[in-house]
Amino acid sequence: MTRDESITLAHGSGGRLMHDLIERVVVRALANPVLETLDDAADISSLVEPGRLAVTTDSFVVQPLFFPGGDIGTLAVAGTVNDLAMKGARPVALTLGLIAEEGLPLVDLERALRSVAETARAAGVVIAAGDTKVVERGGLGGLILNTAGIGFVPDGVELGGDRVREGDVMIVSGTMGDHETAILVAREAFRIDETIESDCAPLHEVARLILETAPDTRAMRDPTRGGLATTLNELSSRSGVGIEIDESAVPVRDDVRSVTDILGFDPLYMANEGKVVAVVPESDAGRVVEALRGHRLGRDAAVIGRAAGEPGVTLRTKVGGARPLLMLEGVQLPRIC
Amino acid sequence: MCLAVPGLVREVDGLRAKVDFGGITREVELSLLPDTQVDDYVLVHAGYAIEKVDRESALETMKLFREMAEAVDKERSS
Amino acid sequence: MSRTIDFEAFRTGPDADGLVRRIHELFEGPTALMEVCGTHTVAIGRAGIRSLMPDGLRLLSGPGCPVCVTPLGEIDMALAAARRPDVVLTTFGDMMRVPGSESSLERERAGGADVRIVTSALDAVEIAAGEPSKEVVFVGVGFETTSPTIAAALMTAERRGVENVSVLPFFKLVPPALDLLVAVPGRALDGFLCPGHVSSIIGSNAYEPVAHGADMPCVVAGFEPLDILAGVVMLLEQVRDVRSGGAARVETQYARAVRPEGNRTALELLDEVFEVVDADWRGIGTIPESGYALRERYAHRDAGAKLGVDRTRPDEPEGCICGAIMLGERIPADCPLFGTVCTPRDPVGPCMVSSEGSCAAHFRYERR
């Protein structure tokens, strides 16, 4: 297999070409003893830990495949690791389903797989099983990945969106809107001289830090599609308490703010891929923020509001006004009005 | 209906400019504001500079905020 | 290098509380102030300004949402153009979800039409230059802030010899709408918060006829929260003046970006490319001399003529009172469809279709 090659339908047909692809490209990139047995199913009993078993899955269809700060491979691992971490689980293993489009350059596949491997290593998870398919050219954007992940929730850790109580404090681990802004710019939907980096990152350490500092943490969420506002609405709705957010307290990077100002977007509705919203008892808030700020992924951590009042999310604005912060309906579109 | 954002002109090349919007730089058309110079602040709408933002006026407006905020009616008809 | 402007000082700061206090102090009883700019509608909503106002001080949203006032027949023209296989339809994002009689640009795109969102009219010219076998049509919706940018882009197309780009000139003008608003019988308007960026183009002098002719206080205001609060303060001062026998006038809060005479280059360019014609405003009807058509010498830039697509006059949805809302006679809460049948996700009427429409803004930003 030469470096110039791209994926063809033959690579998905089950024959020699596909076996070569799997062994020499996929498994080589993801190198680990579990995967290398290449049986139809993997025995992962060696990975079992004490605690309650948690499982999650996600598919990744990001365009472009590669962007500043990450790529589809980074996202595929971080996204699933983060879903487990938000539940309080220690992630241990992932499966990787990959669907390649005819015509995808092999170097792109390898690059994405390298990111999968690196991110998995960083997150301390094993890619235990996988699948490879090839589809005809047309509309897939080159590559789609799916990961399912399992982890173990230690005894005593009870997190859930329905556990938020009046008086609890909302904390974000950092700036809002970075990932979606990075993607917009990477897609050249919006041309600027600078690059904007996605915040894509596995959050297992951040989650553990929060739980160690505040064992009574009520819930953690990673505000992905729909952004912070959507996540807060979900929390309010699940728990039946209102949430009040202080607009001036929500951290937003200058470059992200400038892009959203020009497009007429609201960073509160834009996706993040490396941030946590944590709901903790008031007495723990200060220490959680301090602990987060000591971690490289939590430097801009801040208290942004608290649970109070009737269900629904209210924003206290920069001039002291109050208005509802609704869930996102549909996609934000650039406006000139 | 008129989302326009202020930025600082960094470079001018004929009827195009590079404008700094605080962390990001974008190319802007100057056909509607041809006398734009480097170091001007401009309001940009749909890719075009539509008006210069005057520094003195900006400061004056901020002062007016303060004056209005502190104004007290000396005589109020009941 | 000169001083930097700290624009954050217009968004937040200790003076905000003082401005609100001053508004309460100046308020003397039921007062209705109207803004006529969708960007003001959204800015007021997002800053939660209504929650800070005294009871009885109403901030009304007029016909300032250009998408909302674009008649159904014009939307249908854009959809018809989009369906042509040889057409690339370019539009600002604002128009994508607006329903026509059937369908919307978003639906057409999902069905295979070549519809592209652009952030500048110049993008349409660039696309045309790169795809000579296509006719690139730009949906020209907007007020006087936007129409000069299309005029400029068309001149660029002329200069570069890019033939295959044209526009659907659905633009509207603000001052004629103000004339209509002050003539509404039994009108209860006490003042206009005039649109800051339209005024950057047309100049604050443009409001003199309304201020003096109809004795209507006018304040040209910026869009940041403190600009809006200060604009309300200035209007209330005028209202008090007028109620005790004084004369209404035009004042400019947004002095940093608005001059009395406006932007002469932009105004000349508008005059070069467009002629003023009567225009149809959705929900309101025809307002004389309130729209643009391409001048004869630029007729080849008129997409309707080029493609042979005509305006139609389809029926409006029943029960919708957007017209009355845009004229300040009713508010969204008065509409039986509001929030039930008509929501941002499933809009019925024009005020809900655009995120800047009175009803959409009310739904999103006001407590119910």
Side-chain angles (χ1 to χ4, degrees):
Chain A
M1 214 170 285
T2 67
R3 295 305 89 180
D4 298 337
E5 252 176 285
S6 56
I7 297 289
T8 65
L9 286 177
H11 285 114
S13 67
R16 169 105 310 246
L17 217 50
M18 179 165 136
H19 274 94
D20 278 356
L21 180 72
I22 290 172
E23 280 187 37
R24 295 187 198 173
V25 177
V26 181
V27 174
R28 173 189 270 167
L30 305 176
N32 69 73
V34 176
L35 197 59
E36 275 152 13
T37 63
L38 282 179
D39 285 331
D40 284 350
D43 178 344
I44 52 170
S45 48
S46 61
L47 302 175
V48 169
E49 292 186 0
R52 286 155 289 148
L53 183 59
V55 68
T56 188
T57 186
D58 225 328
S59 295
F60 300 88
V61 299
V62 67
Q63 289 295 320
L65 297 175
F66 305 99
F67 46 86
D71 59 46
I72 191 173
T74 341
L75 274 181
V77 174
T80 291
V81 160
N82 294 350
D83 282 345
L84 288 168
M86 294 304 101
K87 190 64 186 158
R90 178 171 130 60
V92 303
L94 260 53
T95 66
L96 177 71
L98 77 90
I99 303 177
E101 184 180 7
E102 185 187 9
L104 175 74
L106 211 52
V107 288
D108 284 356
L109 180 62
E110 287 171 332
R111 191 174 157 193
L113 289 171
R114 264 199 307 277
S115 292
V116 166
E118 275 159 24
T119 315
R121 227 175 347 260
V125 297
V126 161
I127 308 294
D131 179 67
T132 301
K133 292 286 185 301
V134 178
V135 294
E136 274 175 26
R137 201 182 292 264
L140 207 64
L143 183 64
I144 285 183
L145 297 179
N146 168 281
T147 48
I150 59 163
F152 294 89
V153 182
D155 289 325
V157 173
E158 298 282 348
L159 299 174
D162 56 341
R163 299 192 62 241
V164 180
R165 273 167 239 169
E166 182 109 5
D168 287 343
V169 169
M170 319 275 139
I171 294 172
V172 291
S173 62
T175 52
M176 296 282 102
D178 302 355
H179 175 75
E180 194 167 327
T181 305
I183 294 294
L184 271 173
V185 172
R187 283 209 193 127
E188 299 196 2
F190 187 74
R191 285 183 297 274
I192 59 175
D193 288 0
E194 297 80 359
T195 53
I196 295 203
E197 296 247 324
S198 164
D199 62 344
C200 180
L203 295 166
H204 55 298
E205 284 177 9
V206 171
R208 192 170 30 219
L209 196 53
I210 292 170
L211 285 173
E212 277 167 7
T213 314
D216 270 337
T217 297
R218 314 292 192 216
M220 292 190 291
R221 288 283 164 91
D222 59 335
T224 54
R225 287 188 185 195
L228 177 66
T230 302
T231 297
L232 292 173
N233 271 280
E234 285 166 359
L235 287 170
S236 172
S237 167
R238 292 272 289 134
S239 60
V241 287
I243 294 178
E244 278 179 14
I245 298 298
D246 179 6
E247 187 178 25
S248 341
V250 179
V252 177
R253 270 168 31 191
D254 283 344
D255 53 357
V256 168
R257 171 79 66 198
S258 299
V259 172
T260 57
D261 278 350
I262 293 174
L263 290 174
F265 286 2
D266 188 342
L268 298 181
Y269 288 100
M270 295 177 74
N272 309 274
E273 290 289 343
K275 301 287 164 25
V276 178
V277 181
V279 186
V280 303
E282 185 165 7
S283 51
D284 290 329
R287 279 175 305 112
V288 169
V289 170
E290 203 184 314
L292 284 170
R293 286 188 182 165
H295 191 284
R296 70 182 172 81
L297 293 178
R299 298 262 181 259
D300 295 309
V303 169
I304 59 164
R306 58 193 55 240
E310 292 304 304
V313 183
T314 304
L315 190 74
R316 188 135 305 267
T317 72
K318 283 180 172 181
V319 286
R323 57 126 168 138
L325 188 67
L326 301 183
M327 206 164 230
L328 181 68
E329 328 116 12
V331 167
Q332 285 189 94
L333 293 172
R335 57 187 181 99
I336 55 108
C337 294
Chain B
M1 60 287 206
C2 311
L3 200 58
V5 174
L8 183 61
V9 179
R10 293 289 191 197
E11 287 170 35
V12 173
D13 180 15
L15 285 178
R16 285 220 168 107
K18 289 262 184 204
V19 177
D20 176 356
F21 293 97
I24 64 167
T25 310
R26 250 167 96 69
E27 213 166 73
V28 168
E29 294 293 314
L30 297 181
S31 332
L32 302 177
L33 213 57
D35 298 332
T36 299
Q37 318 219 325
V38 170
D39 211 41
D40 281 350
Y41 276 103
V42 291
L43 266 183
V44 180
H45 171 74
Y48 284 81
I50 59 166
E51 186 52 278
K52 181 171 160 174
V53 180
D54 185 71
R55 279 174 173 84
E56 292 313 312
S57 285
L59 285 170
E60 192 54 46
T61 301
M62 290 182 214
K63 276 199 208 114
L64 278 172
F65 289 155
R66 177 57 50 92
E67 279 174 30
M68 284 181 207
E70 292 175 348
V72 174
D73 282 346
K74 292 175 192 67
E75 26 168 295
R76 293 215 64 184
S77 43
S78 51
Chain C
M1 205 188 79
S2 326
R3 237 172 339 205
T4 44
I5 300 179
D6 175 22
F7 289 100
E8 199 59 17
F10 298 103
R11 294 180 193 127
T12 189
D15 294 330
D17 290 343
L19 289 171
V20 172
R21 179 205 62 79
R22 183 73 178 139
I23 288 169
H24 283 255
E25 188 178 56
L26 287 165
F27 177 69
E28 281 179 343
T31 305
L33 304 175
M34 179 182 271
E35 48 81 359
V36 288
C37 172
T39 310
H40 268 143
T41 313
V42 172
I44 286 169
R46 280 175 73 162
I49 299 235
R50 283 196 184 85
S51 69
L52 297 166
M53 298 294 102
D55 281 337
L57 173 51
R58 297 188 304 148
L59 296 179
L60 300 175
S61 199
C65 159
V67 167
C68 305
V69 299
T70 301
L72 210 44
E74 288 178 356
I75 298 168
D76 286 346
M77 277 178 86
L79 295 171
R83 288 186 197 116
R84 300 280 181 95
D86 52 322
V87 166
V88 175
L89 192 87
T90 53
T91 178
F92 294 131
D94 313 64
M95 283 296 287
M96 281 300 285
R97 287 205 202 110
V98 181
S101 303
E102 307 142 2
S103 192
S104 66
L105 287 174
E106 190 175 57
R107 294 232 177 91
E108 291 301 321
R109 184 174 63 179
D114 195 345
V115 176
R116 305 187 204 175
I117 295 176
V118 295
T119 52
S120 166
L122 197 58
D123 293 343
V125 178
E126 298 296 346
I127 291 171
E131 298 185 49
S133 65
K134 300 279 183 171
E135 177 66 24
V136 179
V137 174
F138 182 80
V139 183
V141 169
F143 290 99
E144 293 98 321
T145 322
T146 310
S147 37
T149 71
I150 280 76
L154 287 179
M155 294 304 274
T156 300
E158 293 285 301
R159 228 178 8 256
R160 286 170 51 179
V162 180
E163 312 246 323
N164 53 323
V165 60
S166 53
V167 68
L168 291 166
F170 299 152
F171 308 107
K172 309 276 184 278
L173 278 54
V174 168
L178 301 182
D179 291 337
L180 182 84
L181 287 163
V182 298
V184 167
R187 84 161 197 230
L189 287 181
D190 297 299
F192 284 127
L193 199 71
C194 297
H197 294 143
V198 162
S199 307
S200 295
I201 301 293
I202 67 176
S204 53
N205 286 345
Y207 308 105
E208 295 288 346
V210 151
H212 300 296
D215 213 26
M216 180 65 80
C218 291
V219 170
V220 179
F223 299 90
E224 299 294 0
L226 270 75
D227 287 321
I228 294 168
L229 290 172
V232 172
V233 167
M234 290 166 74
L235 273 173
L236 288 178
E237 278 171 344
Q238 276 206 52
V239 168
R240 192 161 69 166
D241 239 3
V242 166
R243 279 178 183 162
S244 50
R249 56 199 185 280
V250 179
E251 291 179 283
T252 303
Q253 182 281 328
Y254 201 26
R256 64 190 186 273
V258 175
R259 291 175 292 157
E261 71 278 14
N263 178 332
R264 171 122 45 97
T265 307
L267 291 170
E268 283 172 0
L269 199 53
L270 282 171
D271 191 55
E272 163 69 21
V273 175
F274 298 114
E275 58 176 352
V276 176
V277 296
D278 294 348
D280 199 14
W281 293 53
R282 192 172 181 184
I284 293 170
T286 306
I287 302 184
E289 299 187 1
S290 67
Y292 283 140
L294 285 155
R295 286 204 186 274
E296 187 56 45
R297 56 183 171 275
Y298 297 107
H300 55 287
R301 298 291 177 187
D302 183 289
K306 225 168 169 177
L307 299 175
V309 178
D310 291 319
R311 264 177 187 75
T312 52
R313 301 199 129 245
D315 290 325
E316 285 292 343
E318 278 203 36
C320 172
I321 60 165
C322 278
I325 289 172
M326 287 193 279
L327 293 176
E329 292 166 334
R330 309 283 269 293
I331 58 170
D334 292 339
C335 181
L337 309 178
F338 177 77
T340 52
V341 174
C342 186
T343 61
R345 191 184 313 183
D346 293 306
V348 174
C351 299
M352 191 65 92
V353 299
S354 164
S355 52
E356 307 203 308
S358 310
C359 292
H362 204 87
F363 188 96
R364 285 205 177 90
Y365 301 121
E366 305 304 329
R367 289 209 242 224
R368 279 167 284 127

